[in-house]
């Protein structure tokens, strides 16, 4: 491959084009050789620059690949959310798992970057570079979580756990699936080592299916035990994390049956598991809004069941009666 002639970039546009050329060269070499085997000198040679000149654009080799990882998060998140929006309302945990796993397995370069980011890339860059990278991932995790909540009714923490499991496993499984030609030949030549040959997509699908199915079972069991309406009943309920779920207060023992105070039937809302002294007024509880620090924790029409350890604000009834009796609008399950 012909090495391009190096000319110093002087204008802002020229510098931006040079930076983009460096990123493209690093991505191409990473896809061909694997991220670990690419050096800063390799990237400089591919662009036609001296290694010292590269430092005008990037502080280290790791910063180059950390920027590529952030770009990978944006691209993967957008494509994944587009696929998830195409799933029907009666989607199963297995179907969501297949989409998640397939979207990652189909991006080998991104899987390699996911594995390298916490091990190497974040360890040899400035704090500002790490902060910028983490803020990108937080934005994309929040966007994906909203889709998982919409499809399966997962809590915010469950959504984060699913995304963390999917991305970390994809990175680890990809490293196992690409051990190098010599080691791979060893695995294939000895039947006792055949288990070491990993097919990323199917294995990741199985693990994510089990995880998502378990989270859904936990939610259904919580509904059965609390007596809440099953999924499919339209109660106009908005769910937000409880203080216990957020770690702000210890778990309380449930009151014996028959000892709790029951709100009157005319109450416009009931605040279950109230935050420390907080009282929600009827005007503060619009239908289908996310209250408090809830990551995509909005229950939509037809999704009235409560999630484990979450508030449920039920809207309806006589608002005036509830405002006259604020103490009657509370009940701890």
């Amino acid at each position: 491959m012909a090495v391009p002639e190096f000319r110093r970039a002087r204008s802002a546009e020229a510098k931006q084009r040079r930076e983009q050329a460096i990123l493209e060269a690093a991505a191409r070499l990473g896809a061909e050789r694997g991220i670990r085997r690419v050096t800063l000198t390799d990237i400089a040679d591919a662009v036609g620059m001296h290694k010292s000149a590269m430092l005008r654009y990037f502080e280290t080799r790791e910063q180059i690949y950390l920027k590529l990882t952030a770009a990978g998060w944006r691209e993967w998140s957008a494509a994944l959310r587009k696929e998830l929006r195409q799933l029907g309302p009666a989607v199963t945990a297995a179907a969501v798992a297949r989409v998640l796993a397939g979207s990652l397995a189909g991006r080998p370069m991104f899987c390699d970057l996911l594995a390298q980011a916490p091990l190497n890339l974040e360890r040899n860059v400035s704090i500002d570079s790490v902060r910028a990278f983490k803020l990108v991932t937080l934005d994309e995790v929040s966007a994906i979580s909203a889709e998982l909540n919409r499809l399966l009714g997962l809590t915010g923490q469950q959504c984060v756990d699913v995304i963390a499991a999917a991305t970390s496993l994809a990175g680890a499984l990809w490293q196992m699936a690409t051990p190098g030609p010599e080691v791979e030949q060893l695995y294939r030549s000895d039947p006792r080592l055949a288990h070491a040959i990993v097919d990323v997509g199917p294995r990741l699908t199985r693990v994510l299916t089990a995880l998502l199915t378990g989270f859904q079972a936990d939610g259904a069991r919580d509904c059965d035990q609390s007596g809440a309406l099953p999924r499919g009943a339209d109660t106009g309920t908005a769910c937000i994390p409880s203080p216990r779920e957020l770690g702000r207060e210890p778990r309380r023992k449930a009151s014996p049956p028959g000892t709790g105070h029951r709100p009157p039937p005319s109450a416009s809302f009931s605040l279950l598991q109230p935050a420390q002294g907080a009282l929600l007024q009827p005007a503060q509880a619009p239908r289908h809004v996310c209250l408090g620090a809830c990551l995509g924790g909005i229950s939509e029409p037809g999704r009235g069941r409560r999630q484990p350890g979450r508030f449920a604000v039920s809207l309806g009834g006589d608002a005036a009666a509830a405002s006259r009796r604020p103490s009657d609008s509370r009940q701890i399950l």
Side-chain angles (χ1 to χ4, degrees):
M1 183 181 68
V3 177
E5 181 183 357
F6 173 71
R7 294 181 180 179
R8 185 183 299 276
R10 299 187 182 278
S11 66
E13 294 78 8
K15 291 179 179 179
Q16 187 175 6
R17 289 195 298 270
R18 181 59 54 79
E19 180 177 317
Q20 185 60 34
I22 293 170
L23 291 171
E24 291 175 357
R28 183 175 64 255
L29 292 172
E32 294 172 356
R33 307 178 188 179
I35 304 301
R36 290 174 298 175
R37 297 181 177 89
V38 180
T39 67
L40 192 62
T41 301
D42 294 333
I43 301 172
D45 291 343
V47 181
M49 298 175 62
H50 191 274
K51 185 171 69 172
S52 61
M54 297 274 289
L55 299 179
R56 296 191 182 98
Y57 302 92
F58 295 98
E59 57 196 42
T60 60
R61 161 197 173 275
E62 286 75 15
Q63 188 191 25
I64 297 173
Y65 281 111
L66 199 61
K67 273 210 165 189
L68 289 173
T69 310
W73 267 96
R74 293 191 185 98
E75 188 277 330
W76 171 66
S77 172
L80 173 62
R81 286 181 280 122
K82 183 178 180 180
E83 286 190 73
L84 291 176
R85 291 189 195 107
Q86 296 174 357
L87 297 178
V91 65
T92 63
V96 174
R98 282 193 296 271
V99 171
L100 269 169
S103 67
L104 287 166
R107 291 170 170 79
M109 173 74 171
F110 183 49
C111 289
D112 197 0
L113 289 168
L114 287 172
Q116 298 301 321
L119 291 175
N120 302 306
L121 304 183
E122 296 178 14
R123 298 171 183 263
N124 194 25
V125 295
S126 66
I127 292 298
D128 288 340
S129 294
V130 176
R131 180 184 295 109
F133 169 68
K134 291 298 187 183
L135 290 177
V136 169
T137 61
L138 284 175
D139 287 343
E140 302 309 327
V141 167
S142 178
I144 298 170
S145 294
E147 291 300 319
L148 295 178
N149 169 266
R150 179 184 64 84
L151 290 170
L152 300 177
L154 302 184
T155 67
Q157 186 60 60
Q158 288 172 340
C159 291
V160 172
D161 289 345
V162 169
I163 299 168
T167 53
S168 59
L169 278 174
L173 291 174
W174 183 255
Q175 302 303 315
M176 297 166 61
T178 56
E182 296 84 3
V183 177
E184 184 177 357
Q185 180 59 35
L186 169 65
Y187 292 161
R188 296 188 182 279
S189 64
D190 190 338
R192 296 171 299 177
L193 304 178
H195 67 278
I197 302 175
V198 176
D199 196 349
V200 177
R203 181 171 295 188
L204 187 57
T205 299
R206 292 193 297 271
V207 174
L208 293 178
T209 298
L211 179 61
L212 289 168
T213 302
F215 279 157
Q216 282 196 307
D218 286 345
R221 183 162 51 249
D222 180 75
C223 287
D224 292 340
Q225 293 174 352
S226 66
L229 292 175
R231 184 171 183 168
D234 186 3
T235 61
T237 301
C239 296
I240 60 178
S242 69
R244 187 175 65 220
E245 182 177 348
L246 295 175
R248 293 198 296 264
E249 68 177 28
R251 180 180 294 273
R252 299 175 178 175
K253 293 183 179 179
S255 301
T259 61
H261 183 68
R262 308 293 294 184
S266 61
S268 64
F269 65 91
S270 61
L271 182 57
L272 310 179
Q273 302 171 345
Q276 301 157 344
L279 179 62
L280 205 63
Q281 298 300 326
Q284 296 174 300
R287 188 178 179 90
H288 306 307
V289 296
C290 181
L291 306 176
C294 178
L295 178 59
I298 305 173
S299 68
E300 301 175 353
R303 300 190 176 193
R305 70 179 177 86
R306 293 176 53 245
Q307 297 296 331
R310 300 171 71 79
F311 290 112
V313 182
S314 179
L315 312 179
D318 184 359
S323 61
R324 290 194 302 268
R325 294 184 296 275
S327 62
D328 290 342
S329 64
R330 292 170 173 246
Q331 177 193 3
I332 298 180
L333 290 184

